[in-house]
């Protein structure tokens, strides 16, 4: 499963959600709000329990941080223009 790069849309959905919330309620809500398939898959893999805040949920979503370093790899040390 590919890791999503931007979880801010999910963070906004969860910020407006009432907690505690069940896994099923969380998955249904992010699906309705149009979360990408990687996020929905990660949330479906969460344990079936009550979640008490957005941070507890966000821990289950892997974030692709390797892509953030990609532009740096293409630049030489002397080139600071980008």
């Amino acid at each position: 499963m590919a890791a999503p790069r931007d979880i801010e849309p999910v963070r906004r959905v969860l910020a407006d959600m009432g907690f505690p919330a069940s896994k099923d309620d969380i998955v249904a809500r992010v699906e309705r709000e149009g979360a990408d398939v990687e996020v929905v898959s990660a949330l479906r893999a969460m344990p079936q329990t009550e979640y008490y805040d957005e941070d507890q949920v966000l821990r289950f979503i892997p974030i692709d941080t390797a892509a953030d370093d990609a532009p740096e790899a293409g630049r030489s040390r002397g080139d600071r223009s980008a």
Side-chain angles (χ1 to χ4, degrees):
M1 169 175 56
R5 291 217 32 210
D6 183 13
I7 62 167
E8 283 308 309
V10 176
R11 186 181 300 276
R12 285 191 295 274
V13 169
L14 294 175
D16 291 336
M17 184 162 202
F19 286 96
S22 70
K23 169 191 164 178
D24 294 336
D25 290 340
I26 293 166
V27 171
R29 177 79 179 263
V30 298
E31 280 183 312
R32 273 194 316 270
E33 297 295 328
D36 62 37
V37 70
E38 290 88 4
V39 168
V40 173
S41 294
L43 295 177
R44 283 186 179 145
M46 294 188 311
Q48 189 71 34
T49 189
E50 291 286 308
Y51 293 88
Y52 293 93
D53 61 37
E54 67 184 82
D55 290 333
Q56 193 179 12
V57 175
L58 291 172
R59 283 183 235 149
F60 288 97
I61 303 174
I63 302 169
D64 181 7
T65 58
D68 292 339
D69 297 331
E72 293 292 321
R75 290 195 297 191
S76 68
R77 289 180 171 223
D79 181 12
R80 305 256 187 239
S81 60

